[in-house]
Amino acid sequence: MWILLAIGAGVLALAHTAPAPFLFDVIAGDRSVWHMPKRTPPTVYLTFDDGPNPTTTPDLLEVLARERVHATFFLIDRHITSETAPIVRRMFDDGHAVALHSATRAYMLMSADAFARTVTAAADHIEQVAGRRPCAAFRPHAGWRSWSMYAGLKKINHRMVGWSWMLWDWNWYRVRTADSVLNRVRGRIGNGDIVVMHDGDEKAPFDDQRHTVEAIARLIPELRAKGFAFGTICD
């Protein structure tokens, strides 16, 4: 009996926290996105979380513009201020996709209605400051999700977006560097993969994430040399 209870508790925990598709995501079907369809030429999807960050995001946008690559930015609502609003406008102007992100796991505890209202308010805020609305995509903080979040996204016809297997820049409580990020992702990327990196920090919105800028400046030419194209989640 205790073994069955432990297995049940483990399954439930993974349904909320697994860094890959699991129980909730399978049930949600196409409302859950952890990989994009394969394309010709092979396409990779670069995504950036926790911005906009006035210390890092402008430099990242410069690299993307120089390389003529479009990416997807998952923005935290409270990081969008009068100082960072021009950065959001540039994202749209440069042809990037803009989507929604959360800065806390507390969203898991909201009712479906409250969660839907919160996501809609964040989208409204972006539209107010940038003149354009983000696409109907949401990424939860650290991937922590609940069924009420999925139910809320269904109410407003949004999708939950994760990332492909192991393709994130988290370095297990060690300092992230451009080298560590590259070594983690470069050999794993395949057709349709979603890569997540950070141009911001939910707890420190002005901290310089220079490793991301440097890693992307080196990663894009490597992937292009292998025949990859680049797309956005909202394509």
Side-chain angles (χ1 to χ4, degrees):
M1 173 63 73
W2 289 110
I3 293 175
L4 292 177
L5 288 174
I7 292 173
V11 169
L12 187 61
L14 285 173
H16 290 86
T17 64
F22 202 69
L23 181 61
F24 289 160
D25 315 289
V26 173
I27 295 171
D30 62 5
R31 198 158 299 281
S32 172
V33 179
W34 293 78
H35 195 276
M36 296 293 282
K38 292 183 178 181
R39 291 183 173 181
T40 303
T43 303
V44 63
Y45 298 82
L46 302 176
T47 70
F48 301 97
D49 284 6
D50 291 354
N53 176 358
T55 309
T56 301
T57 310
D59 291 338
L60 178 59
L61 289 170
E62 287 294 331
V63 171
L64 295 171
R66 184 184 72 223
E67 296 291 343
R68 302 181 306 282
V69 165
H70 292 153
T72 307
F73 288 84
F74 287 87
L75 305 184
I76 292 176
D77 184 49
R78 70 187 186 195
H79 291 181
I80 301 173
T81 65
S82 59
E83 181 180 3
T84 61
I87 301 173
V88 181
R89 289 194 287 270
R90 180 178 176 184
M91 291 174 183
F92 283 109
D93 290 343
D94 284 2
H96 300 296
V98 174
L100 304 169
H101 192 34
S102 55
T104 173
R105 296 168 186 170
Y107 282 30
M108 296 171 62
L109 305 178
M110 292 180 176
S111 68
D113 286 339
F115 178 68
R117 289 194 299 270
T118 300
V119 172
T120 299
D124 290 344
H125 185 201
I126 290 175
E127 187 172 24
Q128 289 166 6
V129 304
R132 279 165 283 190
R133 198 164 185 84
C135 68
F138 171 84
R139 175 175 282 160
H141 173 63
W144 285 50
R145 55 211 183 270
S146 64
W147 187 249
S148 62
M149 293 168 72
Y150 269 119
L153 292 176
K154 184 177 181 179
K155 289 177 178 288
I156 56 175
N157 196 27
H158 278 53
R159 292 183 177 182
M160 187 175 291
V161 178
W163 51 85
S164 299
W165 179 249
M166 298 290 283
L167 290 179
W168 65 81
D169 60 356
W170 182 244
N171 201 25
W172 304 109
Y173 302 101
R174 294 188 291 272
V175 174
R176 281 175 285 187
T177 66
D179 285 340
S180 70
V181 171
L182 283 170
N183 290 337
R184 180 178 183 81
V185 304
R186 64 180 9 143
R188 293 189 172 104
I189 292 174
N191 193 0
D193 276 339
I194 302 171
V195 181
V196 56
M197 298 185 185
H198 292 77
D199 59 321
D201 186 313
E202 80 277 2
K203 296 185 178 68
F206 297 97
D207 275 10
D208 195 347
Q209 307 296 318
R210 189 61 34 192
H211 60 275
T212 296
V213 179
E214 295 173 0
I216 285 297
R218 294 161 59 186
L219 180 63
I220 289 173
E222 286 189 19
L223 293 176
R224 187 170 275 140
K226 294 177 180 179
F228 280 98
F230 301 87
T232 75
I233 295 300
C234 308
D235 285 345

